[in-house]
Amino acid sequence: MSGSSAPRVALLILEGAVLHDIGTATQVFGPRASRPERPDQHYALTVCGARRGSVTTTSGLRLGVDAGLEALAGADLIVVPGTNPAAVPEQHRVFAALRAPHARGARVMSICTGAFVLAHAGLLDGRRATTHWAYCAPLAAAFPQVDVDPGVLYVDDGDILTSAGLAAGMDLCLHVLRNDFGADVANAVARWNVVPPHREGGQAQFIQAPVPAIADGGLAATRAWALQRLREPLDVDALASHAHMSERTFTRRFRAETGLAPKQWLLAQRVQHARELLERTDLPIESVAAEAGFGSAANLRLHFQRATATRPTAYRATFRERAAA
DNA sequence: ATAATAGTCCGCCAGG
DNA sequence: GGCCTGGCGGACTATT
């Protein structure tokens, strides 16, 4: 990911790959991710297979791939969509072809059951990872060295990233995009694709609403209301009364809809807002903190650090650097 | 960096 | 009975 040119992404399509996951990845990493009329290509995407030729995806649909495993060699980021886990174990050439770039520093990410491919390649040993909820138990059973977390949308373990089923792949792709190019770019792509820009990486693939956030249960209005007032001190009591509910019921429903407790969600939104302010304004940290609703710069630093593993000033600096390149 | 205070979260349960 | 509500309390977290 260093250097001035776009990060090279290799999308590895194996036999039986999940078409939806392929779509997700190409939608985010492919050209024109945010609008068709403006060629805003952030990554250089190569689609490859175990060998050049055609691959049968889910539902029997066939895809032609123009490159084989050699394409992985030059990649900065390798994306592995879901496949039938039962068909994975044999593919030793594939495993080797994944290990080499990883060893040299490339990031490897999986969507859905793609985690099995990484696991077989040995890339998940000693790591935290996730996969489709129905396959978390089998994955954990087959690979005891892997710390499988069934309760998250995705896991970012630095050079290894895994995501839960289907739609969570989009969350992970956006997360990667956000870290590589900032929240503004990620938001633009999310918006274009009509998905929520940021479901917290923390929680729950068992969230009640299968496709949350767009026109969902009653609390959307309260969330929107809160977003307008991030700079003000907001407590759960205030949110609950906006929703005309007892605190207990509010907390319960909020959690069911969102996967997060109200204050946690609020904190995540505040960090997110701070992030955008750091990217697009020159406001001093104190003002960013105030604007995002943190009582002090120290408090902003604490939460920013916790959520991002970077400090605000450093974040702004690397962001500027990237914009200049 | 730490500790004191205020606020949050959530299991439990009785009541509607 | 099954379902949702909301008060309570105690562990846990945020903020100062």
Side-chain angles (χ1 to χ4, degrees):
Chain A
M1 203 188 50
S2 55
S4 52
S5 58
R8 289 156 302 174
V9 177
L11 175 59
L12 176 60
I13 304 182
L14 300 173
E15 273 304 305
V18 177
L19 199 51
H20 181 276
D21 299 346
I22 296 168
T24 299
T26 54
Q27 206 64 30
V28 174
F29 298 119
R32 303 172 179 177
S34 67
R35 3 164 136 178
E37 76 279 13
R38 199 188 74 195
D40 53 349
Q41 188 148 3
H42 303 294
Y43 296 92
L45 178 68
T46 308
V47 177
C48 65
R51 65 187 62 74
R52 188 181 309 217
S54 91
V55 178
T56 305
T57 66
T58 43
S59 322
L61 225 63
R62 295 182 146 266
L63 287 185
V65 295
D66 299 335
L69 293 174
E70 71 285 351
L72 299 182
D76 301 303
L77 171 64
I78 297 172
V79 183
V80 183
T83 48
N84 173 7
V88 173
E90 308 306 321
Q91 311 184 253
H92 296 101
R93 284 176 54 245
V94 172
F95 306 148
L98 282 171
R99 279 192 293 264
H102 174 255
R104 277 189 349 240
R107 287 173 293 169
V108 182
M109 71 175 256
S110 68
I111 301 176
C112 196
T113 51
F116 281 83
V117 179
L118 309 202
H120 277 285
L123 298 177
L124 301 185
D125 290 353
R127 305 291 197 125
R128 213 160 69 81
T130 194
T131 186
H132 187 284
W133 59 266
Y135 290 96
C136 280
L139 182 67
F143 300 94
Q145 314 87 305
V146 181
D147 176 8
V148 180
D149 187 342
V152 295
L153 255 15
Y154 57 82
V155 173
D156 176 352
D157 201 25
D159 51 340
I160 297 287
L161 306 95
T162 49
S163 55
L166 301 165
M170 179 58 89
D171 292 288
L172 178 55
C173 290
L174 290 173
H175 169 79
V176 168
L177 183 61
R178 181 176 303 107
N179 284 336
D180 288 352
F181 295 98
D184 272 358
V185 168
N187 288 346
V189 172
R191 194 172 151 66
W192 182 258
N193 287 283
V194 198
V195 297
H198 196 20
R199 297 196 282 160
E200 243 328 291
Q203 305 297 326
Q205 14 187 340
F206 295 110
I207 298 171
Q208 305 302 342
V211 179
I214 317 214
D216 61 341
L219 300 185
T222 299
R223 289 201 297 277
W225 177 82
L227 284 175
Q228 297 303 122
R229 306 179 159 59
L230 282 184
R231 87 200 63 191
E232 300 163 29
L234 286 170
D235 57 9
V236 177
D237 201 28
L239 298 180
S241 39
H242 180 269
H244 308 292
M245 277 172 211
S246 74
E247 220 172 300
R248 185 69 188 86
T249 298
F250 178 76
T251 305
R252 189 173 10 233
R253 292 224 197 145
F254 196 97
R255 181 142 226 269
E257 263 183 41
T258 273
L260 289 172
K263 205 59 194 282
Q264 293 305 309
W265 177 86
L266 204 58
L267 225 31
Q269 300 308 313
R270 289 186 156 140
V271 169
Q272 180 57 25
H273 188 49
R275 208 166 169 154
E276 290 169 23
L277 292 172
L278 289 168
E279 286 175 23
R280 91 160 78 90
T281 73
D282 289 311
L283 292 173
I285 303 297
E286 287 287 350
S287 319
V288 171
E291 196 60 22
F294 293 100
S296 65
N299 203 202
L300 165 64
R301 253 177 250 118
L302 179 74
H303 290 289
F304 197 88
Q305 170 96 261
R306 199 176 286 178
T308 328
T310 343
R311 275 155 302 137
T313 324
Y315 182 82
R316 180 179 263 164
T318 58
F319 196 79
R320 291 294 141 88
E321 203 175 286
R322 199 132 51 203

